[in-house]
Amino acid sequence: MAEKYSSSSLAKYLDGEFWEVKDQIRGEISSCELFQSNSYDLTLDQTRDLTVERLHYFLKLPQIRSQLKDQVKDGQNSFLAKSLGITELLCSADMATGVKLGVVCGLYGGAVTKLGGSEQKEQWYLPVSELEFTGMFAMTERGHGSNVRGILTEAHYQPSTQEFIIHTPCEDAQKMYIGNAMKGNFAAVFAQLIVNGEAQGPHCFIVPIRDRHGVMYSGVTAIDMKHKEGLHGVDNGILIFNKVRIPRENLLSKFGTVSEDGVYSSPIQSKGSRFNAMLAALTPTRLGLTVQAMAAMKLGLIIAVRYSHSRRQFGPKDQDEVKIIEHQTQYLRLMPHLAAALALTFTTRYAARLMDEALSQGQDLQSNRSLQALVAGLKAYSTWQNLACLQECRECTGGMGFMMENRIPSLKCDSDVFVTFEGDNVVMLQVVVRELLSQYTKQLGDSVVAGLIRTWTSSASDSFRTSLLGFNVDKVGDLSFLLKAVSYRERVLQRSLAARLYNKVEKNKDEFFGAWNSCLHHVTGLALAHIHRVTLEQFALAIQECQVAEDHALLMKFCLLHGTSLVYQERAWYLEHKYLTPSTSRQIRTQLLELCKSVKDAALKVVSDFNIPACCIQAPIAGVANPRAEWAFYSQPQIPSAQGTLSKL
Amino acid sequence: MAEKYSSSSLAKYLDGEFWEVKDQIRGEISSCELFQSNSYDLTLDQTRDLTVERLHYFLKLPQIRSQLKDQVKDGQNSFLAKSLGITELLCSADMATGVKLGVVCGLYGGAVTKLGGSEQKEQWYLPVSELEFTGMFAMTERGHGSNVRGILTEAHYQPSTQEFIIHTPCEDAQKMYIGNAMKGNFAAVFAQLIVNGEAQGPHCFIVPIRDRHGVMYSGVTAIDMKHKEGLHGVDNGILIFNKVRIPRENLLSKFGTVSEDGVYSSPIQSKGSRFNAMLAALTPTRLGLTVQAMAAMKLGLIIAVRYSHSRRQFGPKDQDEVKIIEHQTQYLRLMPHLAAALALTFTTRYAARLMDEALSQGQDLQSNRSLQALVAGLKAYSTWQNLACLQECRECTGGMGFMMENRIPSLKCDSDVFVTFEGDNVVMLQVVVRELLSQYTKQLGDSVVAGLIRTWTSSASDSFRTSLLGFNVDKVGDLSFLLKAVSYRERVLQRSLAARLYNKVEKNKDEFFGAWNSCLHHVTGLALAHIHRVTLEQFALAIQECQVAEDHALLMKFCLLHGTSLVYQERAWYLEHKYLTPSTSRQIRTQLLELCKSVKDAALKVVSDFNIPACCIQAPIAGVANPRAEWAFYSQPQIPSAQGTLSKL
Ligand SMILES: Cc1cc2nc3c(=O)[nH]c(=O)nc-3n(C[C@H](O)[C@H](O)[C@H](O)COP(=O)(O)OP(=O)(O)OC[C@H]3O[C@@H](n4cnc5c(N)ncnc54)[C@H](O)[C@@H]3O)c2cc1C
Ligand SMILES: Cc1cc2nc3c(=O)[nH]c(=O)nc-3n(C[C@H](O)[C@H](O)[C@H](O)COP(=O)(O)OP(=O)(O)OC[C@H]3O[C@@H](n4cnc5c(N)ncnc54)[C@H](O)[C@@H]3O)c2cc1C
């Protein structure tokens, strides 16, 4: 191991349960030549080849191999939590390799292991851990991205040969954007299953694309989509199938099978629910995107915070120039993002735990509505948070932040698509609200909207609100005030959405799509309010569990900052609802400024405790020397001592 | 000419005074092979070479040559307005070429023509129009970016040889980020002038860098900074001077000269004011950045609006899928940006007119405080607006918007640095407020803060406010209400900032830097409020002058939308100040949603009337065929007829 990692109590706490494995992997990455440096001179092909090499190196690590083997077994304890930790590290080292791992193991692997039977898992996924072949995940079509239910690719069963015929009937049915399409061997293809002329809805099939020497199978065409804003190492392409025949056994069998003589059977009767169940089974992968976004965010923050503590510009007359972190706007732009990154760390851990528990108990994920809502919402919130964070990091590092060698530009470009793929964010927010909705309706066994209105209007009792309105002005800074505020907002938005939909759909008999669409701004607001509330709660809970007094105190400041920043962002709403008075609203702003100021020095400790190896940080302005850009080097600022840090707090 | 341009009355109105020249240039760009297509396969060197070719082609156009010749003459009528029109077109065709033109003609050319005497202009700039050489602008140093007053490069006068010795005394004094540093021949270098051991503050010198064959002059080192997030065609580098000797005549002489025997003289006595005067003389160039940002913004909007009118996804049960523009979130994300792009069009035109008037009357720009404030503020507002706009365009075009061939990614990456260079935005906002401040103090001949507080507190009379508070609820939608609201906000922020600074500096005798810094959030808020107000006013005035009834009606909708969106963004502030009640605040939201909806179809006409040639738009999803990305082609949606458009409004 080339390097020591932070072994502070906070670093361990942020790392969580799997800190030991993570430290091993940090060591592996730091000692591997492939990850030591990024060249920005490579051609697209060279970049893709390098990504493949990196991925292979990573898949060969003993820790990763054993993890992949665990994936094939069902209900391994904490499998997801551990996977996420590993994913985050690989993404810090190289985002494209991380995304490619996500395609092969998360998406393709997820499809085979969650939708396939046990023999299928052994056949189609286990060899990946032996580097025998790789896979891809082909769901999106040209005509259907977000509305994936409408895919048009066909899979006709032919009893005479016991084969499915996979076919692209029109341009809109072409599989598009498929990651690993120019290199991978097998694709998990979603297609409309047709047996005896009867459509059974979308199902997932394993289709061989090219052999191990790269020779395409007949009937399959792959078109390279070439240059993207980022993720240059990931080869995205278009797949077109011209009556490709695959054996009957290649239909992943968990949610539907076809007998030799062409009889379809499925544990789920309705086509719609069947597809929903498949999609629900795939959601664990979605959480991967949240940690990918977190990896980018943390890197950006390390770089921007360190540079802000080294770089000096302007100052009082006839005195030394000040560190740029001292400018009020500078700490105001960076510190709330650091708080959000911490909140996301704890919230993702919580979601992974819920998911792991559900999986190890063999629970049906689809019916766990609140978990589905949480995962969809976290995907949207974290990926948007990341973009906002990286943009501030870019701007706060001035001209240096525009130079590739300082890493922020590629982080931005690579992670920009996170808001789009694995579920467009605006669509995800609608999933959040739909899941929350269904949760209540199901309990009541009633029509969606009627159920909704009844529960939501009664559950958020007015007495709760009244008691809050009596709060003491001095207490705006309390965590309990902030927790109540975000929770109140969620509930009021729920109730009012319910009332609006009820009026439109039940009373006025408006068509549902139009009614929903006319409330879309409200819907997305509610979904974000839901996630905001959960992140603040999970942050607060994580602090309660933190045993080290110093860490506890430090995290508490950031938690207050996160809460204050959430309320500040929505202060217009709180004022409209008279939850804040003009003077308490101003107090929230003052509090935001003061909290940001009070944590700006401690921020150096926090970013250090993110525990990211220097070869992943790369940026000379963050103190990582680089012979290609000596002009950008700023030595790493000193972390204030614990004493100093605490006394400032 | 390969192509017809929109000749609608609106297109002409948006084009403004110079529509004929612009149409000629559109024709030239459209018929030039070099601008027909972008390849994303080029190496950095190839991209830079292509940019040089494009720039040469452009500089050779008769319209451009005559414009460069006008630049050398002083006070040409409408010179700036015409330049901006031309710049915007070139930036639409290729941003790197536009920026390189900005470096050579705006920055280098601006330095020579604004800081040099008439012989110097002939010698150092006229040959650029003959393509004899190009120049660069070397102000920024490693140690001093925003705080450019602190530059350390030295220029010692040596009477014995009548030379200046240009020298880089330390690493922090290296000229950094200099555009055209790897290709250009002469640099306008800012250095501390030292005559007879006495420092006279920063002055600008013409330093030969390399000859026409690319051979470096002795003592000059140029280091390539290589890869950036964008603007790959622009070669940025570091310049280091090791006692480089240049003739006495190479000191640009307008604000200071040195006689043969080493006597310094200047029309301005104080060193500080002298440098301020130089910087002020250079401000016309800054307006160039606003049109560069507008070019990017308009391209993004054309692409996103057209695709949103072609692409379909989701819809009512058992019916056709709807165009994605029909989703409430989609039009809510795009339409306010379109309104802002229009507002910026008219505001930039206004600023250029003011500047041209001032210049043709030989006015001293430095003392025109409100113009300085406007230009600095527009730079910050427009470049941030652009980034926000392009981000929405990227997200609103889903996976397609992540593909390079659809142009949005490169627009984003190229224009990201606009918020940083030619004056970091946060610093620009402080310039706005400082200029506004000085404007009043100067009138009163008093100390900054005392003058400020007296004027600002009295000028914003309370009766104004009271009369507004009596507004009728129905009138929230009126333009006059919106105009008053943005103006009220600016005034109140002024008064309260004045009061805060007065208390800190005059009463508590706080040190100024610290006092100002503790108000920085307030300062930036005021600066933006100032610019918001001006954009809305200029939009409103431009409508008054629009003679065609249909265009007038259409623009009015967008103007209302712009105003509503400005008030909506700041509704928390209005609520805090009881300028909006909770119910009028909600009304503003409803109005925003309704206005966005009402213009979403007319948006197609507006983007078409931006009048940008197809070879500039490039994106297949906007209906521009591209053999390299046939899979991305969506044919251009039909523009609703004028009747249809109007009836919807
Ligand atoms: C780099 C990259 C890699 C990818 N990898 C894969 C892969 O490996 N396998 C795979 O199957 N797919 C992959 N995808 C596809 C990806 O999942 C889709 O791009 C994504 O689902 C969005 O679909 P779309 O691009 O068609 O956008 P659209 O669905 O067309 O969305 C376009 C716009 O319409 C809006 N919109 C759509 N529906 C609604 C609605 N109901 N309400 C409000 N707004 C709406 C969206 O918000 C967005 O602004 C990848 C995409 C990219 C860019
Ligand atoms: C692509 C590119 C091309 C360029 N071309 C040229 C060129 O041709 N010629 C040339 O001379 N220069 C050029 N520049 C330099 C450019 O003008 C500077 O990058 C810019 O002035 C910012 O300076 P900086 O990078 O040192 O950032 P800094 O000034 O160090 O700013 C860093 C951070 O500190 C903050 N900050 C600094 N001061 C304050 C303050 N007082 N209050 C609040 N916050 C503050 C900023 O907001 C920013 O967030 C170029 C830069 C780039 C990136």
Side-chain angles (χ1 to χ4, degrees), chain B residues 58-211:
Chain B
F58 200 72
L59 289 174
K60 271 191 274 186
L61 295 178
Q63 299 87 350
I64 309 303
R65 282 175 76 154
S66 88
Q67 181 72 359
L68 296 192
K69 298 220 154 80
D70 280 352
Q71 194 176 354
V72 176
K73 304 174 205 151
D74 249 345
Q76 290 295 303
N77 250 336
S78 304
F79 171 80
L80 186 63
K82 196 167 158 191
S83 289
L84 295 178
I86 294 172
T87 302
E88 189 178 334
L89 283 175
L90 182 59
C91 288
S92 320
D94 178 51
M95 197 57 81
T97 311
V99 168
K100 190 127 178 167
L101 177 80
V103 168
V104 175
C105 301
L107 291 171
Y108 172 79
V112 177
T113 58
K114 302 294 177 195
L115 309 180
S118 45
E119 272 179 41
Q120 292 178 318
K121 296 185 207 180
E122 304 242 329
Q123 182 180 2
W124 301 118
Y125 190 58
L126 214 52
V128 168
S129 70
E130 303 297 332
L131 289 173
E132 287 179 29
F133 57 72
T134 64
M136 55 195 106
F137 180 84
M139 169 127 44
T140 306
E141 295 178 358
R142 185 181 199 271
H144 290 91
S146 299
N147 187 15
V148 75
R149 219 165 286 272
I151 52 164
L152 301 171
T153 299
E154 293 169 358
H156 281 271
Y157 183 65
Q158 194 171 54
S160 60
T161 56
Q162 294 193 30
E163 286 173 324
F164 294 104
I165 300 170
I166 307 289
H167 188 63
T168 306
C170 59
E171 201 189 7
D172 265 356
Q174 297 177 353
K175 293 293 176 186
M176 202 170 243
Y177 307 110
I178 309 308
N180 203 21
M182 307 316 292
K183 306 238 183 223
N185 308 101
F186 292 95
V189 174
F190 285 80
Q192 301 287 349
L193 171 61
I194 299 152
V195 189
N196 279 325
E198 201 182 328
Q200 298 292 354
H203 284 68
C204 186
F205 303 82
I206 300 297
V207 182
I209 302 297
R210 55 174 68 77
D211 69 17

Side-chain angles (χ1 to χ4, degrees), chain A residues 147 321 412 416 576 585, chain B residues 147 321 412 416 576 585 633:
Chain A
N147 188 14
E321 290 181 287
K412 276 184 56 187
D416 194 7
E576 279 177 3
S585 174
Chain B
N147 187 15
E321 290 181 288
K412 276 185 55 188
D416 194 6
E576 279 178 4
S585 174
F633 185 75

